[in-house]
Amino acid sequence: MGFWFWFWFMLFCASSKVSFSYPDGFLSLSCGGTNFVDSSNIKWVSDSDYVTIGNTAIVNFVEGTAYSQVPVRFFPNSPGRKCYSLPINVSSSVLVRAQFVYKNYDGLKAPPAFSVSLGTAISTTINLTSTDPWTEEFIWPVNKDSLPLCLQSIPGAGVPVISTLEVRPLPQGAYKTGLEGFPNKFLRKSHRINCGNNNGALRYPLDQYDRIWDADRDFSPFHVSTGFKRKSTVNLSSLKETPPAAVLQTARFLVRKEVLTYNLPLDTLGDYYIILYFAGILPVFPSFDILINGDVIRPNYTVKSSEASALFITRKGIKSLNITMKSIRFYPQINGIEVYEIVDIPSESSSTTVSALQVIQQSTGLDLGWQDDPCSPTPWDHIGCEGNLVTSLELSDINLRSISPTFGDLLDLKSLDLHNTSLSGEIQNLGGLLELEKMNLSFNQLTSFGFDLEDLINLQILDLQNNSLQGIVPDSLGELKELHLLNLENNKLQGTLPESMNRESLEVRTSGNLCLSFSLLTCNGDSRNHSYETPEVTIVTKKKHDVHNHLGVVLGAVGGAVLALFIVSLSVFLYTRRNKTEVTYTTRADTEMRNWNAAKLFSYKEIKAATNNFKEVIGRGSFGSVYLGKLQDGKLIAVKVRFDKSQIGADSFINEVSLLSQIRHQSLVSLEGFCHESKQQILVYEYLPGGSLANNLYGANSKRVTLSWVRRLKIAVDAAKGLDYLHNGSEPRIIHRDVKSSNILLDMEMNAKVCDFGLSKQVTQADATHVTTVVKGTAGYLDPEYYSTQQLTEKSDVYSFGVVLLELICGREPLCHSGTPDSFNLVLWAKPYLQAGAFEIVDDSLKGTFDTESMRKAALIASRSVEREAPRRPTIAEVLSELKEAYSIQLSYLASTGHVN
Ligand SMILES: *[C@@H]1O[C@H](CO)[C@@H](O)[C@H](O)[C@H]1NC(C)=O
Ligand SMILES: *[C@@H]1O[C@H](CO)[C@@H](O)[C@H](O)[C@H]1NC(C)=O
Ligand SMILES: *[C@@H]1O[C@H](CO)[C@@H](O)[C@H](O)[C@H]1NC(C)=O
Ligand SMILES: *[C@@H]1O[C@H](CO)[C@@H](O)[C@H](O)[C@H]1NC(C)=O
């Protein structure tokens, strides 16, 4: 069966690719349009699979005498690059042709200007005021399997717009001769001329590579020359460029005068690549000198009868081109001319840098628009480059929480600015940034200097003001010889500054600390008592001091006795009030607790006993730890103890418990009880012995027992049922907010249940379409639209669940920190493959065991779930029903092939 399976599988893949475009290897995108076949039998397809953004419109205009209707795609009011990802499936160079049409499609009579880049290279500026439509053609040396072509708006110059995009493979080895001295370049077409032809342009099918050869009437001295056409066979095999026979069969030659000249205008001052084609279509052997801009580049060039030849010429730094042929014998003649600008392709940034930045982007929970290469064609927002090195990074006013190890991979950084990014804990993971000169970590909650700073030997400016740094300033900071400004203002530091900092070249700012100076005398023992005398006081102490003063003034004015009485009564009032609040709160909690029939109220003592004094940790997270426990009746439980920091207000906790206790569903992990005592917030869940899906896919166990496709589908179906209940079955509706493979747990029978609604959000109004909230969730699973809008809907869960489905299909984690940047993000990497029905990315351990139709259904619903735009994603109910079908197809496949599991 294996052979036939693969046979049909391959056939399926092959046929789906062939139908995707033809002639073979041609890709023709109608931007904003639909699929059709043109008069040359070229199949055009809509561009919507190659670009994820932009709006579409139809332009009506008269071109020459013919009325045209042309679809366009435009990219309104958005900064950053708008990219097409062009798949390239050949090993030769490719021709990329783009046409830009404005023709007043928006009725504003304001043709835009914008720039176009290919890969890392800025290629040109399109200005539709001067020419409309505008066509650009490039020859790109292939080095990857996809090529980004991007439009970038120019501030104030209107909305970028594009009409068609074509990719054509070129013959092997073509357009390389003579360019050996120009590494890392691509070519931008200036001219391609079919000499001696007056009857319009020629292209496919006459040119099998679909190059467009223009008539030469605009450039050649008509009055003195003659076009000539002759159907004769010329030997083409010496020309790798394979110009079409139809081009070589026409020539322009001189009859009366001696000098044949072409004057070709060039767009810009630059380096140019010139190819001249000659074919012996006359029964004579004309000889002539060939001059470029006045220099003889080939004396006495002879065209032999029945043979084709070409000259490859490069010229540096020219801005106009004069090609002259001076007769020696018979007539000077030429058959074809191609002229290209030679454009630099900047080298890419290192893949370590790129993937580190991608991880950082994910961890910000924001869509920073960081795509492709960070430095070229233009640096990403928040990033500065020198060449292809990322030398500065500035992220502020976002929520990073900690300095993650990935920052340590940005080895070329000279400047790092992370002010106001909620960093807490230790300054860490930066020890490798030896080039760092400026670092700003101010306005965070950092508490410790850590040990990395001493390695930053080039550091000149270090800004740590307004953090919560505690203790003394380490000696090692003073050892940084280049340091000339150290800002430690408004921390909780105390003690003497290291003597090594006491130098002319270094300015240390210390105000707003407990007590910090070079001399012990100024501090002298307990700093708090003396802070009054020194200017370096903490805000807290200062406030106390102020209150005191204030009272003092009032005291003087009103008179002691009255005020004392007032103060006494005030404090009594405050005291009773506080007590009262506590009392009310307890009673409220008690009443509510009694109403919760489902969830049991545990005492801290009971929890301690059940977990054997918190002995066995079965999970850990930013929220705290999960412990295994056993109730007196023998039932196993998972006990989740909240960390100090993750604790929420008492009211929120009670709300949450009350909500969780109401949710009962076979596919949701149920809450058994809770404990809320002396600052403890503990949730008690049923224990599932099968571990999490993440564990089963990637944990130590996964190596021994791989989950079969049918099991994976069953797990997906179960989890989707759980989510469907949250979205549509429960009242109020609940959005989970942290769907991921480690939040899907398995029981003994491999039934899956969704757990951890710790972050979940209820939609209380039945008709609300979204709730606006602070972005929470896990990198790799976060809905990109939710990042940018902060509007949470059920579709955000669908996105995260789509990522889980991709994990099941591909058997890999959502973010992988090694490998190429292309494959780094599971969604970006897998989606195009799955949409094209290309299953080579399916988990290796599943290969040969799945029914293609079942996989196709799952792959399709997974790719739809991770659509960037939320409205294009299915509901979880739809996902569930597709998964059920995929599951039953796989079941019958297994039955028919006699497999179990
Ligand atoms: C893509 O490349 C593969 C292998 O090189 C080939 O089999 C397939 O026909 C190509 N497809 C297209 C559309 O060129
Ligand atoms: C586009 O061309 C027009 C006229 O040719 C010129 O006025 C305008 O400044 C150009 N726009 C840009 C952005 O270069
Ligand atoms: C065409 O030219 C090549 C090399 O220039 C030569 O090897 C080949 O024999 C020629 N073919 C014919 C049919 O003349
Ligand atoms: C919710 O469930 C009802 C009934 O099962 C169904 O008709 C409806 O389409 C579902 N809505 C969504 C958004 O899934």
Side-chain angles (χ1 to χ4, degrees):
M1 113 65 220
F3 169 77
W4 284 107
F5 171 78
W6 279 108
F7 178 80
W8 290 114
F9 177 67
M10 298 313 286
L11 198 65
F12 169 76
C13 291
S15 64
S16 70
K17 277 222 174 102
V18 169
S19 67
F20 131 107
S21 74
Y22 57 76
D24 209 19
F26 280 29
L27 176 65
S28 314
L29 302 182
S30 167
C31 305
T34 50
N35 300 0
F36 67 98
V37 176
D38 72 12
S39 56
S40 304
N41 207 25
I42 293 176
K43 179 172 178 186
W44 290 79
V45 295
S46 156
D47 64 339
S48 54
D49 286 344
Y50 302 86
V51 66
T52 52
I53 39 178
N55 303 348
T56 63
I58 302 281
V59 197
N60 300 295
F61 65 99
V62 177
E63 179 76 351
T65 53
Y67 169 76
S68 298
Q69 254 201 333
V70 176
V72 294
R73 182 178 291 272
F74 59 99
F75 303 94
N77 59 27
S78 46
R81 304 201 283 272
K82 304 291 166 283
C83 296
Y84 280 84
S85 172
L86 302 174
I88 291 181
N89 189 24
V90 287
S91 53
S92 60
S93 298
V94 289
L95 179 97
V96 176
R97 184 161 46 226
Q99 190 176 55
F100 308 92
V101 179
Y102 173 67
K103 295 289 180 192
N104 203 22
Y105 74 87
D106 54 5
L108 299 175
K109 298 205 171 113
F114 48 91
S115 61
V116 172
S117 63
L118 271 184
T120 54
I122 276 282
S123 59
T124 187
T125 300
I126 310 293
N127 187 342
L128 291 170
T129 307
S130 47
T131 312
D132 182 9
W134 178 303
T135 305
E136 279 291 329
E137 231 181 65
F138 311 103
I139 292 180
W140 184 261
V142 171
N143 48 14
K144 276 196 172 177
D145 54 5
S146 82
L147 170 65
L149 181 143
C150 311
L151 313 188
Q152 174 134 26
S153 60
I154 296 173
V159 171
V161 59
I162 184 166
S163 173
T164 62
L165 253 177
E166 295 160 273
V167 181
R168 311 288 185 238
L170 289 169
Q172 204 68 252
Y175 301 101
K176 299 224 177 342
T177 314
L179 282 176
E180 294 77 9
F182 295 84
N184 298 323
K185 308 285 177 185
F186 77 99
L187 302 175
R188 173 180 174 235
K189 187 190 107 174
S190 303
H191 299 283
R192 189 182 298 115
I193 298 168
N194 179 6
C195 303
N197 173 38
N198 302 331
N199 303 328
L202 171 163
R203 60 185 292 184
Y204 185 83
L206 287 173
D207 184 341
Q208 68 177 114
Y209 301 100
D210 197 18
R211 290 162 290 195
I212 297 177
W213 298 82
D214 294 315
D216 68 349
R217 71 164 66 233
D218 292 345
F219 312 109
S220 73
F222 258 91
H223 49 286
V224 294
S225 69
T226 305
F228 183 85
K229 180 170 174 147
R230 175 156 164 177
K231 267 220 181 317
S232 63
T233 42
V234 282
N235 185 350
L236 274 176
S237 65
S238 57
L239 294 180
K240 292 200 178 103
E241 285 66 27
T242 332
V247 167
L248 296 185
Q249 278 161 6
T250 63
R252 184 157 298 278
F253 68 104
L254 268 192
V255 274
R256 290 192 297 275
K257 284 209 174 177
E258 292 211 312
V259 180
L260 172 61
T261 295
Y262 279 82
N263 275 311
L264 302 175
L266 300 177
D267 272 4
T268 49
L269 173 72
D271 301 345
Y272 285 84
Y273 181 49
I274 303 145
I275 308 176
L276 307 178
Y277 295 99
F278 305 94
I281 55 176
L282 295 173
V284 288
F285 293 74
S287 284
F288 42 86
D289 290 345
I290 300 173
L291 296 86
I292 301 283
N293 288 354
D295 302 333
V296 179
I297 57 128
R298 193 58 81 95
N300 200 3
Y301 189 76
T302 303
V303 180
K304 297 201 182 97
S305 182
S306 297
E307 270 182 30
S309 60
L311 282 181
F312 301 89
I313 304 143
T314 54
R315 288 284 109 156
K316 287 191 174 172
I318 57 172
K319 61 179 174 194
S320 64
L321 182 59
N322 170 302
I323 302 171
T324 297
M325 277 136 293
K326 211 176 198 171
S327 175
I328 292 181
R329 187 154 49 101
F330 298 114
Y331 322 109
Q333 124 182 22
I334 187 159
N335 298 58
I337 303 174
E338 290 188 80
V339 181
Y340 295 93
E341 187 184 344
I342 303 172
V343 188
D344 198 38
I345 306 175
S347 45
E348 294 180 2
S349 300
S350 83
S351 63
T352 315
T353 303
V354 179
S355 61
L357 290 169
Q358 298 275 22
V359 174
I360 291 167
Q361 164 165 257
Q362 286 277 350
S363 68
T364 63
L366 300 169
D367 182 6
L368 302 172
W370 287 0
Q371 298 184 32
D372 309 320
D373 193 85
C375 294
S376 304
T378 50
W380 288 342
D381 287 351
H382 309 286
I383 278 176
C385 294
E386 289 172 21
N388 64 347
L389 305 179
V390 172
T391 54
S392 81
L393 172 63
E394 185 260 299
L395 291 171
S396 56
D397 311 321
I398 55 170
N399 201 1
L400 279 177
R401 291 177 291 272
S402 74
I403 304 175
S404 72
T406 42
F407 282 94
D409 288 340
L410 303 174
L411 296 174
D412 308 304
L413 278 188
K414 290 185 177 168
S415 164
L416 176 63
D417 183 351
L418 299 176
H419 75 270
N420 195 17
T421 50
S422 308
L423 298 178
S424 60
E426 180 174 306
I427 299 172
Q428 56 184 356
N429 295 319
L430 298 175
L433 307 186
L434 301 183
E435 307 293 322
L436 207 58
E437 293 169 359
K438 278 169 70 177
M439 180 152 74
N440 183 350
L441 300 175
S442 61
F443 296 91
N444 284 300
Q445 290 90 50
L446 292 164
T447 50
S448 151
F449 287 101
F451 301 100
D452 284 354
L453 291 176
E454 62 192 82
D455 296 330
L456 307 179
I457 48 170
N458 283 307
L459 206 56
Q460 297 170 8
I461 299 177
L462 178 57
D463 190 346
L464 297 172
Q465 64 171 304
N466 291 285
N467 273 283
S468 307
L469 293 169
Q470 291 165 7
I472 57 165
V473 178
D475 264 340
S476 53
L477 269 185
E479 314 283 315
L480 298 172
K481 290 285 171 284
E482 303 295 322
L483 195 64
H484 58 76
L485 177 60
L486 173 62
N487 192 339
L488 299 170
E489 286 172 342
N490 300 321
N491 277 286
K492 296 178 180 151
L493 295 163
Q494 52 190 320
T496 49
L497 287 167
E499 199 45 42
S500 51
M501 287 187 180
N502 205 351
R503 59 172 197 251
E504 192 84 332
S505 59
L506 173 61
E507 179 187 350
V508 186
R509 298 186 188 156
T510 58
S511 67
N513 280 285
L514 294 180
C515 176
L516 194 58
S517 74
F518 281 113
S519 155
L520 267 175
L521 289 174
T522 18
C523 287
N524 196 13
D526 185 356
S527 54
R528 253 152 296 214
N529 290 344
H530 293 263
S531 55
Y532 166 58
E533 280 127 51
T534 63
E536 296 93 2
V537 286
T538 60
I539 295 168
V540 179
T541 332
K542 218 173 175 177
K543 260 191 193 154
K544 265 187 196 158
H545 176 71
D546 278 349
V547 168
H548 201 86
N549 268 347
H550 203 75
L551 284 182
V553 173
V554 178
L555 210 76
V558 179
V562 180
L563 193 83
L565 194 68
F566 174 65
I567 290 175
V568 168
S569 42
L570 185 73
S571 23
V572 168
F573 173 68
L574 284 178
Y575 179 77
T576 39
R577 223 179 107 87
R578 216 172 68 204
N579 265 358
K580 218 171 167 180
T581 338
E582 251 163 40
V583 168
T584 352
Y585 150 66
T586 321
T587 24
R588 181 183 161 227
D590 275 346
T591 16
E592 285 193 19
M593 282 167 198
R594 261 178 241 115
N595 290 339
W596 301 331
N597 39 13
K600 182 172 176 318
L601 174 62
F602 290 93
S603 72
Y604 190 62
K605 240 170 107 185
E606 281 174 289
I607 299 281
K608 236 173 126 173
T611 56
N612 201 356
N613 205 8
F614 304 102
K615 197 159 157 228
E616 194 178 338
V617 180
I618 52 174
R620 243 187 247 282
S622 54
F623 52 82
S625 298
V626 182
Y627 302 88
L628 180 64
K630 194 177 189 178
L631 297 179
Q632 276 178 343
D633 61 6
K635 185 168 185 175
L636 291 174
I637 50 172
V639 175
K640 183 164 149 184
V641 181
R642 285 221 172 128
F643 229 27
D644 261 2
K645 277 187 213 144
S646 67
Q647 288 199 355
I648 48 180
D651 274 4
S652 312
F653 183 71
I654 286 164
N655 278 338
E656 184 177 320
V657 171
S658 136
L659 169 74
L660 292 182
S661 66
Q662 286 159 31
I663 300 172
R664 296 269 148 185
H665 187 272
Q666 64 192 32
S667 298
L668 296 172
V669 174
S670 55
L671 185 76
E672 299 287 326
F674 66 98
C675 165
H676 189 215
E677 237 176 64
S678 57
K679 287 193 190 163
Q680 298 289 347
Q681 294 185 347
I682 299 175
L683 296 169
V684 178
Y685 292 98
E686 66 174 311
Y687 174 69
L688 281 95
S692 73
L693 173 58
N695 262 329
N696 279 269
L697 282 176
Y698 320 118
N701 249 349
S702 65
K703 303 283 173 297
R704 281 183 285 118
V705 198
T706 53
L707 290 172
S708 65
W709 179 233
V710 75
R711 285 221 159 141
R712 292 183 197 204
L713 283 172
K714 173 68 168 47
I715 291 168
V717 167
D718 284 347
K721 278 181 187 164
L723 290 177
D724 184 43
Y725 179 78
L726 290 179
H727 287 186
N728 199 17
S730 66
E731 188 53 51
R733 281 147 54 205
I734 292 170
I735 301 173
H736 186 296
R737 288 222 278 180
D738 200 15
V739 176
K740 55 181 171 181
S741 56
S742 55
N743 274 341
I744 296 174
L745 304 182
L746 305 178
D747 69 9
M748 266 323 194
E749 287 83 43
M750 304 294 269
N751 297 309
K753 298 187 181 204
V754 177
C755 76
D756 203 354
F757 327 117
L759 298 172
S760 60
K761 198 85 191 169
Q762 16 178 337
V763 186
T764 31
Q765 285 151 293
D767 54 349
T769 54
H770 66 262
V771 277
T772 304
T773 158
V774 183
V775 174
K776 292 210 174 127
T778 303
Y781 294 91
L782 264 174
D783 167 9
E785 206 170 70
Y786 170 38
Y787 299 161
S788 43
T789 60
Q790 307 206 345
Q791 295 190 344
L792 181 70
T793 71
E794 283 91 342
K795 292 290 179 72
S796 303
D797 280 354
V798 171
Y799 181 92
S800 309
F801 188 63
V803 177
V804 173
L805 293 178
L806 294 179
E807 290 181 82
L808 288 170
I809 293 169
C810 303
R812 57 154 277 194
E813 291 177 84
L815 297 179
C816 86
H817 299 213
S818 56
T820 64
D822 288 346
S823 65
F824 162 76
N825 181 310
L826 174 59
V827 172
L828 300 180
W829 172 70
K831 206 166 118 188
Y833 284 93
L834 296 180
Q835 281 173 338
F839 296 151
E840 59 257 42
I841 59 158
V842 167
D843 191 346
D844 278 335
S845 66
L846 296 181
K847 289 198 170 139
T849 68
F850 59 84
D851 176 89
T852 319
E853 184 56 25
S854 162
M855 180 59 75
R856 215 157 58 94
K857 267 198 180 303
L860 197 66
I861 199 71
S863 2
R864 286 180 53 210
S865 300
V866 294
E867 281 290 352
R868 213 184 153 77
E869 290 150 45
R872 293 175 66 174
R873 294 178 208 147
T875 62
I876 196 73
E878 240 179 289
V879 176
L880 174 60
S881 97
E882 289 295 310
L883 288 173
K884 279 180 176 166
E885 280 181 40
Y887 177 56
S888 71
I889 295 171
Q890 177 70 7
L891 280 179
S892 36
Y893 165 80
L894 293 176
S896 70
T897 55
H899 276 82
V900 267
N901 282 341

